[in-house]
Amino acid sequence: MNNNIRELRAEQGWSQAQLADLLDVSRQTVNALETGRYDPSLPLAFAISKLFARPIESIFTPGQAPV
């Protein structure tokens, strides 16, 4: 699954660690999300959507993440 979490995080000026704290996940989880190595659970996807005040489908799109 593709996503634009890295760009959204950068717009806020947050580090991966800061975003991880806001989402109550590890920094490694944020890194894995941003690099496409991990697809979030539905509750985590909703939390990300709510945090950035954007619809889920504007953050996550189907398809292979870039390698």
Side-chain angles (χ1 to χ4, degrees), residues 9-63:
R9 177 178 59 77
E11 287 174 10
Q12 298 298 317
W14 295 334
S15 68
Q16 287 184 342
Q18 289 170 312
L19 179 56
D21 285 343
L22 291 167
L23 294 172
D24 197 28
V25 298
S26 69
R27 187 202 55 79
Q28 289 84 358
T29 297
V30 171
N31 181 271
L33 285 165
E34 289 184 352
T35 58
R37 293 189 323 260
Y38 174 72
D39 290 337
S41 65
L42 197 52
L44 180 54
F46 274 106
I48 293 167
S49 172
K50 183 176 179 181
L51 182 64
F52 290 113
R54 299 192 182 212
I56 287 176
E57 57 273 5
S58 76
I59 300 172
F60 299 97
T61 55

